Amino acid sequence: MTSVRPPRRLGAAVATVLAVTLGAGALTAPAALAGPAVATASEAVAASLPPIEPGSTLVGAGARGFFTEIDEGDVSRYRWTRYADGATHDIEWPSSFSKRAEAFVSGDLAAVAVPGEKKLDVYDGAKGGTYSVPLEDTVDGSVVGLVAGGALTQLRTERNGISLKLNTPEHGTRLVTHMPSERLFPVMRAATSTHALVEIYRSGSPSGYDWLVVDLKTADVVADVPVPARADRSSVTLSGSRVAWVEYEAGTDAAAAVVRDVTTGASSSVPLGDGTGRRITLGLLGDWLTSTRPGGMEAAAPSPLHALTARNVKTGETLRLLDHTAGTVLVPVPEGGHLVRGGSVAAGANGEGNYRVALDGSGKPAATLVATTGEATALAVKSFTGHARYGGYAGLVRVEETYGPMPFTWKLNHGNARVEVTVKNRRTGRSYQKSWVVKDGNVKLDWDRVHQLGGGQYIEAFDGTYSLDLTATPLGGVGPVLRWSQAESFAIDRHDNFHDVDANSSPDFLARDASGTLWTDSTVMPVDQDLDAPRTRVGGGWQAFDEIEHMLGWQVVARDRDGVLWDYTNPARGYRARVGGGWQVYDHLAGGSDVIGAGSPDLVAVDKSGVLWVYEKTNHSGLHAFAPRKRVGGGWQIYNQITAVGDVAGGPAGDLVARDRDGVLWLYLGKGDGTFTTRTRIGDGWQTYTQIMGGGDADHDGKGDLFAYSARDKKVYFYGGTGDRAKPFKPRRTSTVFSGGSYNHLT
């Protein structure tokens, strides 16, 4: 078997190879449609049907099988498939096929005409084998083709330009009688096993063209139909004694099918609705007119015209046969009816394939699946791959950190759909959504675990179990919306980050404004970005305190102006307990860093004589919130600000930074026993900042970071940690935390 360069199928001179060539489009569905009248393809039934390659094109159908063209890029090949057992044959054309040629497929026959060789090479799928048929010399306007019944038809003009000849193996060459006496320039538009419809040029017609109905048995023109000016000439079809075509109303896109009885000359009009986009395809089955606009699966918008619909031209009864069709033609079958590539949602998991459309025992059209691609018409998820980075957690995938995006991929059975993926935290109810169009059925979401809240604000994902939901809406409206859900897809279980209020592993800051209102703002820092999180009001009345220190989570300690220290387990709810009085002896308080190394945030304090003390945090609140203080050492009166920053240089415990009165910042590394190493100079110029704050690992690179607030600039600046004691912080960049606000205290 060989792959061949694609022939000019139903070539430009021929237009259509005596298959019923129909324009694209469809009947507008009435308010109530019966159907679809299609057999459901169960797995057992589908297993017995011939398979079809999903990307192939239906080009012909006969009594024993059908032809498809398989596109392979620069080349394509024809494949004949037998209905009975799915046996296939890829056609091996002779070497002459390498020349410019015309290819013709109809019924169980496929042929190629090579210019200058005066023959057709024909493959007979029903009998098997290839043979040659001689042709007369082709001259001006020659048309060659195969009819559905398998008869070879050569329609050609004589040298005087006023006659047409028909050549069949059964009768040889015959002159077609009752031809018009003028130049013809014939084009084959449609055919059945008994008749052919030839379009000729005719200057006296409304559109300049006529349609001639040729009886193939008698070689006689039995009808001459002037083509109306509004007719879509490519949409014409015929069956029995009827010819049908589509007309478009001048100045509008309203479409109607005109059905004409060529015996009586009587015509009737069938409204098709809004024909925007045109390309309407028609077919005739007894008293029934079928219509469709192929390509619904690739369309950009829904349309009732995508369905294959049948309407009785006498009674007006309407049936929906298929949900969509593909390709450009309804292929006639010798015994009657058509073969069409399309799909039906009702046919289930194997609803895409070739359907035989014919009249059933009650005289109504019905579509029966005769070959399947093995795909469903309705959108479906074929496969899903989730995040699998860490081990199991309660039967779920456990994600320990926020670094890097989490990939999720779905493979749909087909594309051209708008998909929306929702990632929802089942504990908080917060959702992340993304919507986009996929063309090829491959859906990929690299979730960076950032929720977009709208208005240009974001927040990072919280700890907890997450669900995944995907909806896919076919753009062309073929089939229902796909809804896929995985209730418990994965769990995020992160480490506790420094000053993380809302359990999303990102540090949160507290700030008090001039009215005494306390606010919270979060850091949102995916890779190389700084996104704006919403500022949230905690509560009022905080002007009563001269020191506010953020310890861990929602826990805050605050000293009132009488020197009483209060322990807030949740300041947003007003939950507090009295620790005790006498705290006015301290000039500086700094909390949240584990300087003891016991795993809990401690509080450090500098008294008025310059002695540094450490209060180890207990598991209690109020009076017993802290263990008795431990003396670290003296000399700390040289500093006007002390900040607990957590571990910024890879030591065993939390560190401190201290700013002296000249604006020089110093780093003290915690040893893990409440004491510190000799100080390291970080740099000068830090007097420009109103507040210096430890930021935990805000950018999720595993290093402790630093933030600094400038009341003059109304900005918070970010210093990313390096983990290097000698140079612990990177150059600053502007942060979105509390940006543009005026505050008299931040922590």
Side-chain angles (χ1 to χ4, degrees), residues 183-380:
R183 293 184 66 81
L184 305 176
F185 303 106
V187 174
M188 191 70 68
R189 286 294 186 188
T192 68
S193 59
T194 59
H195 292 81
L197 189 142
V198 181
E199 182 179 283
I200 62 169
Y201 172 77
R202 202 166 195 181
S203 58
S205 295
S207 64
Y209 298 91
D210 275 15
W211 288 317
L212 306 178
V213 180
V214 179
D215 187 316
L216 299 178
K217 184 176 182 180
T218 63
D220 187 25
V221 174
V222 296
D224 186 336
V225 181
V227 179
R230 292 202 300 262
D232 177 1
R233 300 187 348 255
S234 66
S235 69
V236 67
T237 186
L238 82 161
S239 179
S241 62
R242 290 189 174 102
V243 177
W245 63 89
V246 178
E247 292 187 1
Y248 297 94
E249 187 70 30
T252 73
D253 287 307
V258 177
V259 182
R260 177 168 177 171
D261 189 313
V262 296
T263 303
T264 66
S267 297
S268 60
S269 179
V270 178
L272 301 178
D274 183 3
T276 301
R278 306 205 170 189
R279 298 172 46 248
I280 295 177
T281 297
L282 300 179
L284 288 167
L285 294 169
D287 292 332
W288 295 82
L289 176 76
T290 62
S291 61
T292 182
R293 173 179 290 155
M297 292 292 249
E298 296 80 35
S303 171
L305 303 177
H306 294 152
L308 178 63
T309 306
R311 176 176 292 183
N312 191 296
V313 297
K314 292 183 177 180
T315 67
E317 182 182 0
T318 305
L319 300 173
R320 183 187 180 99
L321 303 179
L322 294 174
D323 293 309
H324 82 100
T325 59
T328 59
V329 296
L330 302 176
V331 178
V333 180
E335 311 94 286
H338 307 103
L339 203 67
V340 59
R341 174 66 61 82
S344 167
V345 173
N350 298 283
E352 288 293 299
N354 289 344
Y355 285 83
R356 171 74 179 274
V357 181
L359 300 179
D360 60 17
S362 65
K364 295 183 178 182
T368 303
L369 186 65
V370 296
T372 179
T373 64
E375 300 282 0
T377 298
L379 278 168

Side-chain angles (χ1 to χ4, degrees), residues 17-40:
V17 194
L18 294 183
V20 180
T21 304
L22 310 167
L27 284 170
T28 301
L33 280 183
V38 59
T40 300

